[in-house]
Amino acid sequence: MSRIDFTALKALDRQDPLAPVRQQFVIPEDTIYLDGNSLGLLTHATQQRLAEVTSQQWGQDVISSWNQHNWVHLPATVGDKIGQLIGAEAGQVICCDSISVNLFKALSAAFSLLDARGEPRTERHQVLSTADNFPTDLYMVQGLQQLVGSQQCELVLADEAELLSDLSQHITKQTAVVLLTEVNFRSGRRLPMADIIAHAHAMGALVIVDLAHSAGAVPVELDSWRADFAVGCTYKYLNGGPGAPAFVYVAKRHLADITQPLSGWFGHSQPFAFDAKFSAAAGIEKMLSGTPSIIAMSAVDAALEVFESVDMNQLRTKSVQLSEVFLELLEQAELAEQFDCISPAESAQRGSQLSFAHPQAYAICQALIERNVIADFRAPNYLRIGFTPLYTSFEELGKAVQQLQDIMQTQAYLDPRFQARQAVT
Ligand SMILES: *Cc1c(COP(=O)(O)O)cnc(C)c1O
């Protein structure tokens, strides 16, 4: 059995400027967590904040907390903090709802902008996305298409590789909106968004970027890319907690001209005037619908504190290093042949994960989990390894690969208890 060089891995940890950040997280005992791309870990700051929000704010100050503890402005203040991590100047990001709901609003807003520009839908009504985009993104377009009719909004799917190889064949004068996820959730492929946006704009199309696997994982520059809209979640690399509210970005240049149909009272210019007629807020608040989930959003707010001391380029450097080291370890352990890496070979074209195709991926993943190495599985047969530079160490990668090596050598994954699928995979 080939040996893993733990001395070298420990040396990398000693040289790692981000190593101390790990102390800010609650790390389950003896657990190697490689699934921060699905659900980020809890921070000590969040744990404390939730205690304070429930004991003091809700518990004692009750309804006055809307003003006293600034609950009413939380969606915008948290939105601005997220904005700093995704290259968005203040006033363009708001924290609310889920990606799915925000996507519906952003899509509708994009169409409202084209309408405001006097673009007839007879000529421009297609929403271009990729066939292997995260399904909820496609489902939401299908929902809008059903609501308004396919003459008004029509989903068109392209193969990701084909789209990249020839943008002008796919982005045409019929394209109203290009809807892409920057980092593919299965393959980890990272798209050249700045180029795609420039191309789409040249054709008169608008772009919505899904940052689910980008925010907090890779440097993002929405303003300088000239993105029109973006959505993203906070429970993956931003560590906001299960089901934490998502965010939506609208470029400042569009804010005055857009409308969105989920025009709830929190998106009103004066929610507490209780006027019967809707009149949208002037700024990014117009993307709000109903009352924000304050406890959940407070968790996000506190979770973002760890990023205050972190430079996103430094984080990216470690993320690339972690994934390169993982690939080397697979080679050392003589596992690289069996695990077909479906992520791009070039690190610049990847987000912060690696995916491997293996016919037994599900059972292998279950066997890893039983040994406290938490990775995840994505259908049909991918083992996903997420790298979260804020709390993953190089030594942990060595231990994880050692476990994988043992599972493969002993064929432990063949045990029937690893073969049965659970509800959440
Ligand atoms: C995780 C993820 C989502 C999740 O959407 P929710 O509505 O917030 O549950 C959406 N899109 C992508 C690309 C994702 O990775």
Side-chain angles (χ1 to χ4, degrees), residues 6 9 32 373 394-404:
F6 279 99
L9 295 173
I32 297 171
V373 177
F394 292 94
E395 186 183 0
E396 284 181 309
L397 298 186
K399 290 181 180 168
V401 171
Q402 204 172 40
Q403 290 294 344
L404 185 60

Side-chain angles (χ1 to χ4, degrees), residues 1 371 401-412:
M1 185 157 159
R371 294 161 183 233
V401 171
Q402 204 172 40
Q403 290 294 344
L404 185 60
Q405 192 180 30
D406 188 66
I407 289 166
M408 299 315 292
Q409 267 161 7
T410 59
Q411 297 194 314

